[in-house]
Amino acid sequence: VIAGALKFHSVPIFGNMNPRPGDARKMTSDLIVSLLNGFRALGHVTETNDSQALQKVLPRDSNLLPSLEKALNNEEASSAFDGIIALLRELVVKTPLTVVMRYEFGTSLCPNESKDMKLFWQTVSELHDGMKDLLGAGNGKPLVILILCADSKEMSQRVRAAVEPKNAVTLHGLSDENVLQYMANYLNVQETMIPQPLREFVTNVTQGNPEYIRETLEQLLEKHIQINLGANKQPRALELKDFGNNFRNINISSWQHTSMVGSTVCMLESLDPLEAAVLKMSTCFIGPFTLPDLAANTCPKWAGTTQFDSLRLYQAIDRLKRKDILQKVHVDDLDASQANNHHVQAESFTMSSLLIQAVGSSMILETQRKAVKRQALMNRAIARHLPNRMREIQSKRGAGHIPWYYEQAFRRMPKAE
């Protein structure tokens, strides 16, 4: 969006919806305010008051004006789509437009298939139907409709049919080489000055997110990074202070004022209760963990629903794996010491992000962490030693045994002559 505005002078129009009460109306008012700001940027409107600016853009006798004024005051949003499309069609003749529609997920209190989500895709469908004759037609200025969503499964059929496969882009983080280049540009140092531990830490924490890279470097510059300048005021060297082994001295969860930690907390709070419990327990393990490790803490060993509880745990792990919070560990990826352990012979998992590991670990008490580790270790010890002991007991049970009172009676019997 920023590149389009700087390079192609495209005016951005934003419509943002969150699954909170009243946000459906707020998205409509945001679209109207963005459109009015577009007219202000072109100099067609000078009024700072949105109602007066709306009356300046549309004629007073227009039947669209009352519905737009109600939507602007967050009173009614359903009848304002025709007016929004009219403003878009009038503005796109004068300047290129980039219409950004974004839907974000909230907490677990909101259902997965909410009415607001359906209303969002209905709004996108109506905007597409009202502007589809201008998309790629070569008339007027360029028009781009950009949809940002975490999941497109609820996309309406009309929008799905209009979106070509080449236009659906899955956003990924920067590569390791791009992360290094971005760090060097932000710190204003050469790439060779950045130590390897710092590269690994920033890459693992940020997952290539440019905003997270900036926030991480800002926090590290306060205590852990020192840039030495030469006589010409140019960077001469970059030193790490109190970095520690495996980044243990860096308290990522204390960066609560940053967007990276705040968004991670929101993501963790949006999980279902069982998924949140699985994630918090998984932060207790440094290496890979298995389903029996988690079941040892949540599923009673001798209860009648042990198998059902284990199945629920596995489904929660699978959902976290689909959300890229957990990842499956293959035995080939482990070193020799871990691959020989008995507990990793089953399907193993590990945390995919150091940021989620740090934030999730701060949400569990130290006593709870010790209890999870203790139960998992006991379960692993029993699984390792119990089969051999059970085989010994079965072999003893298979051997012939004569009770002592039978032996005594047999001895008192007279011997046959």
Side-chain angles (χ1 to χ4, degrees):
V1 177
I2 297 176
L6 296 177
K7 187 174 182 180
F8 303 104
H9 304 285
S10 177
V11 176
I13 306 297
F14 294 99
N16 186 31
M17 178 184 288
N18 293 318
R20 300 186 181 93
D23 267 14
R25 300 177 181 178
K26 183 178 181 299
M27 183 187 66
T28 307
S29 63
D30 288 346
L31 286 171
I32 298 175
V33 172
S34 296
L35 287 168
L36 294 178
N37 290 333
F39 284 103
R40 292 189 181 101
L42 298 177
H44 295 278
V45 176
T46 58
E47 289 79 359
T48 57
N49 185 274
D50 293 334
S51 299
Q52 297 177 359
L54 196 60
Q55 295 175 2
K56 182 68 176 296
V57 174
L58 294 175
R60 292 183 177 273
D61 56 350
S62 176
N63 55 356
L64 302 175
L65 188 58
S67 60
L68 289 175
E69 289 180 345
K70 290 182 179 180
L72 192 60
N73 297 326
N74 294 327
E75 296 178 1
E76 185 179 356
S78 58
S79 60
F81 293 130
D82 293 337
I84 292 175
I85 293 174
L87 293 176
L88 279 171
R89 296 183 69 90
E90 183 178 353
L91 187 60
V92 76
V93 179
K94 301 177 175 61
T95 181
L97 292 182
T98 301
V99 183
V100 182
M101 305 293 293
R102 185 177 67 171
Y103 183 86
E104 293 186 354
F105 293 93
T107 64
S108 59
L109 300 177
C110 302
N112 294 330
E113 297 181 0
S114 61
K115 295 181 180 179
D116 290 343
M117 184 182 297
K118 296 180 180 179
L119 180 60
F120 172 80
W121 289 113
Q122 179 184 356
T123 304
V124 174
S125 301
E126 294 185 3
L127 289 178
H128 174 265
D129 293 342
M131 307 292 292
K132 62 182 179 181
D133 57 327
L134 301 178
L135 293 172
N139 302 325
K141 303 295 183 178
L143 172 64
V144 177
I145 298 180
L146 181 62
I147 304 174
L148 299 177
C149 58
D151 192 359
S152 60
K153 294 180 180 179
E154 300 297 327
M155 184 184 297
S156 61
Q157 294 298 329
R158 287 184 293 176
V159 178
R160 192 181 302 275
V163 176
E164 299 180 2
K166 63 180 181 180
N167 294 336
V169 180
T170 302
L171 301 181
H172 298 283
L174 300 177
S175 62
D176 295 345
E177 294 79 8
N178 293 335
V179 170
L180 177 60
Q181 183 180 5
Y182 193 91
M183 293 172 57
N185 292 336
Y186 187 82
L187 296 174
N188 195 21
V189 297
Q190 298 180 3
E191 297 181 5
T192 55
M193 295 183 183
I194 300 179
Q196 186 65 27
L198 180 59
R199 301 181 190 179
E200 296 178 357
F201 175 77
V202 175
T203 303
N204 294 335
V205 171
T206 62
Q207 298 292 313
N209 190 319
E211 181 182 9
Y212 293 178
I213 295 175
R214 295 195 303 270
E215 293 179 344
T216 302
L217 293 178
E218 288 176 0
Q219 299 303 314
L220 293 178
L221 282 171
E222 295 181 0
K223 295 182 179 180
H224 303 283
I225 295 179
Q226 179 179 352
I227 300 177
N228 300 325
L229 302 179
N232 54 356
K233 301 299 181 179
Q234 295 297 323
R236 180 170 53 86
L238 189 149
E239 297 181 0
L240 299 180
K241 301 184 300 181
D242 195 21
F243 214 68
N245 296 328
N246 298 326
F247 326 119
R248 295 298 179 188
N249 296 337
I250 301 177
N251 188 8
I252 303 176
S253 60
S254 63
W255 304 345
Q256 299 177 353
H257 55 283
T258 61
S259 175
M260 55 185 293
V261 175
S263 59
T264 304
V265 171
C266 293
M267 185 270 295
L268 298 182
E269 293 293 340
S270 67
L271 298 175
D272 291 335
L274 185 57
E275 296 177 7
V278 170
L279 186 141
K280 291 177 182 178
M281 286 190 296
S282 63
T283 59
C284 302
F285 303 97
I286 300 177
F289 62 91
T290 60
L291 176 62
D293 294 335
L294 303 181
N297 296 273
T298 58
C299 303
K301 189 70 175 177
W302 310 111
T305 60
T306 301
Q307 300 296 334
F308 181 72
D309 291 338
S310 299
L311 180 60
R312 292 176 61 245
L313 273 180
Y314 184 79
Q315 290 178 345
I317 293 175
D318 186 65
R319 288 193 294 267
L320 292 176
K321 188 173 64 174
R322 290 199 300 267
K323 294 178 182 179
D324 296 331
I325 298 178
L326 298 179
Q327 61 182 5
K328 185 178 179 181
V329 178
H330 300 279
V331 180
D332 299 337
D333 300 334
L334 302 175
D335 54 20
S337 60
Q338 292 180 335
N340 295 329
N341 291 337
H342 182 272
H343 70 279
V344 298
Q345 300 301 324
E347 192 173 14
S348 303
F349 306 91
T350 185
M351 192 70 64
S352 60
S353 173
L354 184 60
L355 175 61
I356 300 178
Q357 173 86 22
V359 177
S361 179
S362 64
M363 295 182 176
I364 184 171
L365 299 176
E366 184 64 26
T367 55
Q368 296 174 334
R369 187 180 295 108
K370 290 181 179 179
V372 170
K373 292 181 179 179
R374 181 173 60 252
Q375 291 295 112
L377 288 174
M378 292 175 60
N379 183 73
R380 293 178 184 181
I382 292 174
R384 186 183 303 112
H385 299 293
L386 185 60
N388 297 329
R389 296 180 59 184
M390 291 302 294
R391 281 193 293 269
E392 294 178 1
I393 294 175
Q394 291 175 1
S395 62
K396 291 181 180 179
R397 288 178 178 177
H401 174 66
I402 301 175
W404 68 272
Y405 45 86
Y406 284 131
E407 292 181 359
Q408 296 296 329
F410 181 76
R411 291 174 181 175
R412 288 194 296 266
M413 290 177 60
K415 296 182 181 181
E417 295 180 358

